[in-house]
Amino acid sequence: MKKSMIFCIALIFTLIFPTTIFAHTGLKDSSPSSKEIVTTELKEITLNFKTTIGELSSFEILDASKKKVESLKISVHDKSMIGTLPEALPNGEYTVNWKILGEDGHVVKKSYSFTVKLPEAAKQEENAAKPEDTKTQETKPADEQSEQVVTDTGEDQSTSSDTSVTEPTKEESKAVEETSTSNVWLPVGIGVVVIILLAIFFLNKRKNRK
């Protein structure tokens, strides 16, 4: 009877003790946390545990296609693990698989996931707007040059058209009127002189006949 009781007590301690140890050596919190949606650039992941962890503790990051994210540098500090990346993680779902070595020598493995969702729409609009601005800035000098060419080539034409359209001044109109009047009276005067000469000629001729 005593032997069976001792066996039962030993079995209970064997089942309960590791569970208690694992509970005390579990993950306390993390950044980003489980199921978190990250909306800013992420280059650092921090895991904080309930007890001190061994130097051989580590973790890895997998993307949605289960591909390991390379260039992850991990450092262990007492109860924390910090992983740094040279570049920010792009949008997508990620899984963190961590493995720690507890103070009692037990190895604990678990995982959690998070999502990176940067507001790329706003970035794309800004990037799309920037080339348009540069294009407009580049085309402005060309437009100005074309306008200058038009004005340069059209100067003579505009001046000629202006001279043809400009109204005569008062002095010019008077001169034109005088010239036109003189041009009218000139043939009349000549005609009168011719008539007078013919009349004198015929009169002299009659006198000579008498």
Side-chain angles (χ1 to χ4, degrees):
M1 185 70 182
K2 288 181 180 180
K3 290 182 179 179
S4 60
M5 288 291 292
I6 294 171
F7 178 77
C8 289
I9 293 170
L11 181 62
I12 291 170
F13 272 101
T14 303
L15 294 174
I16 295 174
F17 189 66
T19 306
T20 308
I21 292 172
F22 293 157
H24 285 295
T25 56
L27 183 65
K28 182 181 179 182
D29 56 58
S30 62
S31 176
S33 59
S34 179
K35 307 299 181 182
E36 182 179 350
I37 298 176
V38 182
T39 57
T40 57
E41 288 190 354
L42 183 62
K43 292 184 179 181
E44 184 176 287
I45 296 174
T46 304
L47 306 178
N48 298 316
F49 296 90
K50 296 176 182 178
T51 58
T52 303
I53 57 177
E55 292 292 334
L56 298 177
S57 303
S58 65
F59 69 91
E60 63 180 6
I61 304 173
L62 304 179
D63 59 15
S65 60
K66 303 301 179 184
K67 184 180 178 181
K68 185 178 178 180
V69 177
E70 302 295 338
S71 304
L72 177 66
K73 293 183 179 180
I74 299 171
S75 57
V76 178
H77 305 281
D78 193 17
K79 298 180 181 180
S80 301
M81 271 195 300
I82 300 173
T84 56
L85 293 165
E87 296 181 358
L89 290 174
N91 284 0
E93 294 182 359
Y94 295 92
T95 302
V96 176
N97 294 329
W98 56 266
K99 179 179 68 174
I100 62 169
L101 182 64
E103 289 181 324
D104 57 352
H106 287 87
V107 176
V108 182
K109 298 180 181 179
K110 282 192 178 181
S111 63
Y112 74 93
S113 61
F114 63 89
T115 304
V116 176
K117 193 173 183 181
L118 298 174
E120 285 189 346
K123 288 185 178 181
Q124 289 177 358
E125 290 177 1
E126 290 177 1
N127 294 331
K130 285 180 182 178
E132 289 178 1
D133 295 339
T134 52
K135 286 181 182 178
T136 52
Q137 289 176 0
E138 290 176 357
T139 53
K140 276 183 180 179
D143 295 338
E144 290 175 358
Q145 288 177 2
S146 62
E147 290 177 3
Q148 289 176 359
V149 170
V150 171
T151 53
D152 291 341
T153 53
E155 277 184 358
D156 293 335
Q157 295 178 358
S158 62
T159 52
S160 60
S161 61
D162 290 341
T163 51
S164 61
V165 174
T166 51
E167 295 181 357
T169 59
K170 291 182 179 180
E171 294 179 357
E172 289 177 352
S173 60
K174 284 181 181 180
V176 171
E177 287 176 0
E178 289 175 0
T179 353
S180 60
T181 308
S182 61
N183 289 334
V184 171
W185 285 105
L186 182 62
V188 174
I190 293 171
V192 171
V193 171
V194 171
I195 292 171
I196 292 171
L197 291 174
L198 288 174
I200 293 171
F201 175 76
F202 283 114
L203 288 173
N204 290 329
K205 199 172 181 180
R206 278 185 179 181
K207 285 180 181 181
N208 292 331
R209 283 182 182 177
K210 290 179 179 181

